[in-house]
Amino acid sequence: MEKRKSIIAGFDIGGAHLKVTRAEDGRIVEAATIATPLWQGLHNLTSALDKAAPIYAGADLNAFTMTGELSDIFPSRDTGVAALLDQISTRFPTGEKVVYAGPSSFVGVEQAVRLSSDVASANWHATASLVAKLAGDALFVDMGSTTTDIIAVRNGAVANDGYTDAGRLLTGELVYTGFTRTFLFGVASSAPVRGRLTPLMNEYFASIADAHRILGVLDEEDDRHPSADGKEKTVDGSIARLARMVGRDATYLTPPEWREVARWFSEQQLRKVHDAASLVAGPLARDVPIVGAGTGRWQIRRLAERMERRFVDFADIIPADDAIRREASSAAPASAVALLAGRQS
């Protein structure tokens, strides 16, 4: 009789997205990222899990990590961890399930409640741990929709200075900027308009997704939330939103001029990430590559060029079916917990 395949589902429960992957015999075969505005209520998580059900159906083991405990529907991070663990128990009342707890590795749900400080926002540690096993020494950079993790990996182990979000903000290992959801005034306070540095409107008129759409480097599948004005996600729509940020109408500049304004915002974001990466990369040898994951890999490639380091795509080093490598990299923490749990099972 043929031995049954080992099927492991990986979940990353975020405050804006649910990421789910399926690993069979140590290889990612399916992956998905689903918009999950957790700040609007836990019912959005239930809905996202319903949509993702075909991916984790029949899994022998479900492995979880999270960042959604930071959502403002919860009065504290500990409360958020407990609430999400309760959702996991409710959704998966039977079958084996484990939760990633950083240095404590995988633990059961009941133990995870007692280790909430290790469980909270530990998804970066899971992905960096997998990179350590696959690539050895590296500067690991994962830019998602909202944040960027920058982690040194040395001698096959995660070499982090901070662990909590607060600690990593201080060390440069967490930069609160992402490829799509970041507000433009989160990366700059002004922008050049026909040779004049113009202060920005301090309003959510546009996001960095608009800048990247205008530049032609945005995969529309990665921009899963509504635009700032709720209108169309087209280059013209993005230009109109970008124009409001500098108090103008879209007709004030030509499309090539608006592309230069968009380029300014993307550049300002890259500079923030570069500053932090320079700090984190300090102890690493010059020939150590940058391993990039997440929806912002285009930006990470530019970072590698600027730092004169070789770029290695996380999508190319993980065991995955070729057709879903990109999706598996965009859902990197979910891929990581699925693969890491498989190594331990």
Side-chain angles (χ1 to χ4, degrees):
M1 183 178 295
E2 183 180 354
K3 184 179 179 181
R4 183 184 179 189
K5 288 184 178 180
S6 176
I7 302 173
I8 301 175
F11 301 78
D12 179 19
I13 303 174
H17 298 93
L18 171 70
K19 300 173 182 178
V20 184
T21 59
R22 182 185 185 90
E24 296 184 0
D25 291 338
R27 188 177 187 84
I28 302 296
V29 298
E30 290 186 71
T33 299
I34 301 168
T36 311
L38 203 57
W39 63 89
Q40 295 177 358
L42 283 170
H43 65 279
N44 286 301
L45 177 57
T46 300
S47 176
L49 286 167
D50 287 342
K51 292 178 182 177
I55 296 178
Y56 59 82
D60 304 314
L61 174 65
N62 294 304
F64 298 86
T65 186
M66 65 180 68
T67 60
E69 79 286 339
L70 187 61
S71 176
D72 51 16
I73 64 170
F74 304 123
S76 70
R77 294 168 69 82
D78 286 348
T79 303
V81 169
L84 293 180
L85 291 174
D86 183 63
Q87 291 287 311
I88 290 169
S89 296
T90 301
R91 181 76 189 202
F92 302 89
T94 60
E96 189 175 356
K97 46 192 173 291
V98 292
V99 180
Y100 190 76
S104 300
S105 192
F106 289 100
V107 299
V109 174
E110 291 185 3
Q111 187 178 358
V113 175
R114 300 190 296 271
L115 293 172
S116 62
S117 60
D118 288 341
V119 170
S121 297
N123 64 349
W124 63 271
H125 193 281
T127 320
S129 294
L130 181 64
V131 169
K133 296 179 185 301
L134 297 176
D137 288 9
L139 180 66
F140 172 60
V141 184
D142 182 355
M143 178 179 282
S145 65
T146 314
T147 62
T148 301
D149 296 309
I150 306 171
I151 309 297
V153 174
R154 284 181 294 175
N155 302 319
V158 181
N160 56 298
D161 284 333
Y163 184 79
T164 65
D165 282 350
R168 294 193 304 122
L169 284 169
L170 291 173
T171 62
E173 293 165 316
L174 172 61
V175 183
Y176 229 88
T177 190
F179 200 63
T180 56
R181 294 186 64 242
T182 294
F183 303 157
L184 288 182
F185 51 74
V187 298
S189 60
S190 58
V193 180
R194 286 190 174 164
R196 300 291 297 274
L197 201 56
T198 304
L200 300 187
M201 297 286 196
N202 195 23
E203 292 278 359
Y204 179 38
F205 285 140
S207 71
I208 197 76
D210 290 306
H212 289 141
R213 180 176 293 109
I214 293 167
L215 292 174
V217 298
L218 175 69
D219 187 325
E220 291 299 334
E221 290 185 3
D222 293 331
D223 186 23
R224 301 173 187 274
H225 288 265
S227 62
D229 59 5
K231 295 182 180 178
E232 65 275 2
K233 294 180 178 181
T234 62
V235 171
D236 287 344
S238 287
I239 287 176
R241 289 187 285 272
L242 186 67
R244 294 189 191 105
M245 293 298 302
V246 289
R248 306 299 207 283
D249 291 328
T251 55
Y252 184 80
L253 299 178
T254 64
E257 287 177 310
W258 283 123
R259 276 195 293 275
E260 288 308 305
V261 177
R263 198 181 316 278
W264 164 270
F265 285 109
S266 187
E267 170 66 20
Q268 295 305 303
Q269 179 182 66
L270 179 57
R271 290 185 184 187
K272 289 180 180 294
V273 174
H274 186 189
D275 286 349
S278 295
L279 292 176
V280 179
L284 298 175
R286 286 298 311 156
D287 60 348
V288 167
I290 288 178
V291 175
T295 57
R297 293 193 301 283
W298 174 82
Q299 194 73 295
I300 303 170
R301 286 181 183 274
R302 297 176 68 209
L303 173 68
E305 292 174 3
R306 190 155 299 186
M307 296 184 73
E308 298 181 346
R309 291 182 181 269
R310 181 168 55 94
F311 176 81
V312 176
D313 197 324
F314 178 81
D316 294 333
I317 63 174
I318 59 171
D321 287 358
D322 288 341
I324 58 91
R325 285 188 180 277
R326 178 192 164 280
E327 290 84 355
S329 182
S330 295
S335 296
V337 291
L339 294 171
L340 288 172
R343 286 171 173 246
Q344 294 188 9
S345 62

